[in-house]
Amino acid sequence: MDRKQLKLTKSTFEYLSDEASDSVRSVTRGMLLYEMAMMFSDSLTDEIEEKEERVNERLESHTDTSFRCGVDSVKVRNEDGSFPSQSIIDPNDDLTDSLINIYLPVSVQEHLEDEWGQRYWAEKVDDLVIDYIDSAFESRYDRYQCKEDLIAYIEDDEYPDHEVARSIVEGSANRYTTSDLHSVLEEDKWWLAGDLSYNDIIDRAEEEFDSNTPLETKIDVAAEILDRHAEQREMEMPRKLAVSLITKVFNVSESYVENEYLPQIELPDYSGEDEEDGESIDYMERCLNAKEQLVKFLEDNNRESDKDKIERMNAANVCMVEKDDIEELDGLEEQEARNEKIQEIIDKGSKSNTFVLQQQSSIHMELIENLSSELE
């Protein structure tokens, strides 16, 4: 450490003195200024900097450099939207009347003198203090912990403890400037977007995922597909149906799904019970019964290709659209009303309370294609 004599603006000097004398911090003005310089310098290095650089590399491997730099730059806002430094530091203040002694490591002093020159220390220290006051982090270690929490969220879906990391994950930008970071993070986990149906997720996964996609990512997406499938159809998720869906989407064997996927996934437990004729009837049981009836019907009528097709389908996809919905659509003439009803029919998917043999298989698929074309 060596002494550096400076003249600082009054508000900056008062802030450094107040913060350094804080009983919780118990640091010198030089130590505080040192940490500020290390937080906002791209060229100074110490052991903490090297540790943070390692976590930076891990975070960038999941996102990119711009996201990591964005995390470094998160600021805190007052309730009125202003930044805290605006009410604390006035860069236009007069300089203090006398020289102030601040002790900094010799190597840091030399580096800053090369970077700032001898004449501009007051202005540069003002800038450092403003950046520090407005920063969402109290130190590099605090920032490091935030990044560790973000990595745990990305890799293991662990909800973060760090307040800034939570703001990024939740997209709550009331206190911190994190809204852009939230959109980038959720883009990385695109399958969590609230406006996607389970079919949307399936289509994109089939298009983008290949053998190089990490198994952890596929398992995460598979879990989201099962959740949305159960939610949109208000039905339970039987193990057999879960295996069938995952096998189709990721083009893997049923045994692989059983051994690698399902041990990591908690199947949706929606009860799926409806009242019919005063009795509680499980929706999936109705679908399974309907499928068996249809297979028998096609077999009796020597329609082997259709029978094979239905046998490959999961039971829920056999019972697709309610007869009453089609009749209601036929009665609508205004296009806007038709569009709303068409979207409702398509969104319902396999949630059907009635089963009419003549309306299933290829006839139904043709109907859905025609309805989708009308929407387009």
Side-chain angles (χ1 to χ4, degrees):
M1 305 289 284
D2 196 13
R3 182 179 65 180
K4 178 69 178 177
Q5 292 188 316
L6 299 172
K7 280 195 173 185
L8 300 175
T9 54
K10 292 178 182 178
S11 56
T12 295
F13 170 65
E14 289 172 359
Y15 176 80
L16 285 173
S17 299
D18 290 345
E19 287 295 297
S21 62
D22 184 284
S23 59
V24 176
R25 288 184 180 278
S26 187
V27 296
T28 66
R29 291 183 303 235
M31 291 170 65
L32 191 56
L33 186 58
Y34 169 79
E35 181 62 17
M36 292 177 185
M38 299 301 295
M39 280 184 73
F40 303 108
S41 171
D42 293 329
S43 51
L44 288 168
T45 302
D46 62 6
E47 289 185 3
I48 298 176
E49 192 74 19
E50 292 171 357
K51 183 177 182 180
E52 189 177 21
E53 186 57 35
R54 289 193 290 272
V55 82
N56 285 344
E57 291 174 359
R58 290 174 58 204
L59 185 59
E60 289 175 12
S61 72
H62 292 293
T63 54
D64 56 31
T65 301
S66 63
F67 179 84
R68 190 271 302 168
C69 291
V71 174
D72 288 345
S73 304
V74 172
K75 294 183 179 182
V76 63
R77 292 184 183 275
N78 295 321
E79 289 185 2
D80 62 2
S82 64
F83 293 117
S85 65
Q86 292 174 250
S87 59
I88 299 175
I89 302 299
D90 183 358
N92 297 316
D93 270 354
D94 293 332
L95 295 176
T96 50
D97 294 330
S98 57
L99 290 169
I100 299 161
N101 292 327
I102 291 183
Y103 288 84
L104 290 167
V106 176
S107 59
V108 173
Q109 280 195 47
E110 293 174 348
H111 180 92
L112 294 179
E113 284 175 3
D114 289 341
E115 187 175 325
W116 295 350
Q118 291 282 357
R119 299 175 56 188
Y120 300 103
W121 273 72
E123 293 93 328
K124 296 297 185 181
V125 172
D126 278 344
D127 293 341
L128 277 182
V129 171
I130 289 171
D131 286 342
Y132 179 75
I133 293 172
D134 292 339
S135 173
F137 306 106
E138 294 183 354
S139 65
R140 287 172 293 158
Y141 181 70
D142 184 30
R143 195 168 63 188
Y144 171 90
Q145 289 181 308
C146 174
K147 293 171 184 175
E148 283 276 27
D149 274 17
L150 288 173
I151 291 170
Y153 171 74
I154 293 169
E155 291 182 347
D156 302 316
D157 206 27
E158 291 183 12
Y159 189 75
D161 292 325
H162 196 284
E163 189 174 2
V164 178
R166 285 203 306 270
S167 177
I168 294 172
V169 168
E170 294 172 354
S172 54
N174 294 333
R175 186 179 182 195
Y176 301 109
T177 57
T178 55
S179 56
D180 291 343
L181 294 172
H182 172 73
S183 61
V184 172
L185 189 63
E186 291 311 303
E187 184 178 343
D188 185 54
K189 285 194 168 188
W190 53 262
W191 52 90
L192 298 179
D195 59 347
L196 295 179
S197 69
Y198 91 96
N199 277 321
D200 293 332
I201 299 174
I202 288 174
D203 290 344
R204 185 163 172 181
E206 289 179 334
E207 179 181 342
E208 296 186 8
F209 288 3
D210 56 27
S211 58
N212 295 319
T213 304
L215 177 59
E216 293 79 6
T217 300
K218 292 180 178 179
I219 290 172
D220 197 7
V221 173
E224 192 67 22
I225 289 171
L226 299 183
D227 281 342
R228 298 202 187 197
H229 186 283
E231 179 184 355
Q232 289 179 299
R233 281 152 180 72
E234 295 185 357
M235 57 177 281
E236 65 180 357
M237 178 53 64
R239 190 177 185 88
K240 187 173 182 180
L241 176 56
V243 172
S244 175
L245 280 170
I246 297 172
T247 298
K248 175 183 179 297
V249 175
F250 299 104
N251 194 26
V252 291
S253 67
E254 291 188 357
S255 61
Y256 189 76
V257 172
E258 288 279 5
N259 295 327
E260 299 296 335
Y261 281 81
L262 291 192
Q264 311 298 324
I265 296 174
E266 184 176 349
L267 296 181
D269 60 359
Y270 182 84
S271 65
E273 291 186 349
D274 298 318
E275 292 292 327
E276 187 172 292
D277 297 329
E279 297 181 2
S280 178
I281 297 181
D282 182 83
Y283 175 70
M284 276 308 299
E285 182 180 348
R286 182 191 300 114
C287 290
L288 288 167
N289 290 338
K291 179 178 176 179
E292 290 175 3
Q293 291 175 44
L294 181 56
V295 168
K296 182 69 168 62
F297 171 83
L298 296 171
E299 186 175 44
D300 291 345
N301 287 272
N302 296 317
R303 293 167 58 181
E304 289 299 322
S305 60
D306 287 339
K307 171 178 168 288
D308 291 343
K309 176 181 176 183
I310 296 301
E311 284 183 327
R312 290 195 300 270
M313 293 172 64
N314 65 68
N317 285 337
V318 172
C319 303
M320 301 280 287
V321 175
E322 294 192 28
K323 181 179 177 183
D324 291 346
D325 282 327
I326 301 301
E327 292 177 350
E328 183 180 339
L329 177 64
D330 290 340
L332 297 174
E333 295 182 3
E334 186 182 344
Q335 190 58 48
E336 184 176 351
R338 286 183 63 80
N339 287 347
E340 290 180 0
K341 189 62 185 178
I342 290 169
Q343 193 61 61
E344 178 186 336
I345 291 171
I346 294 174
D347 289 343
K348 277 187 177 181
S350 64
K351 186 189 175 186
S352 171
N353 291 323
T354 60
F355 176 69
V356 181
L357 290 178
Q358 289 80 359
Q359 290 181 335
Q360 308 309 312
S361 66
S362 60
I363 298 175
H364 166 73
M365 297 311 297
E366 182 179 351
L367 169 66
I368 288 295
E369 289 173 5
N370 291 339
L371 292 177
S372 299
S373 298
E374 183 173 339
L375 271 187
E376 293 172 0

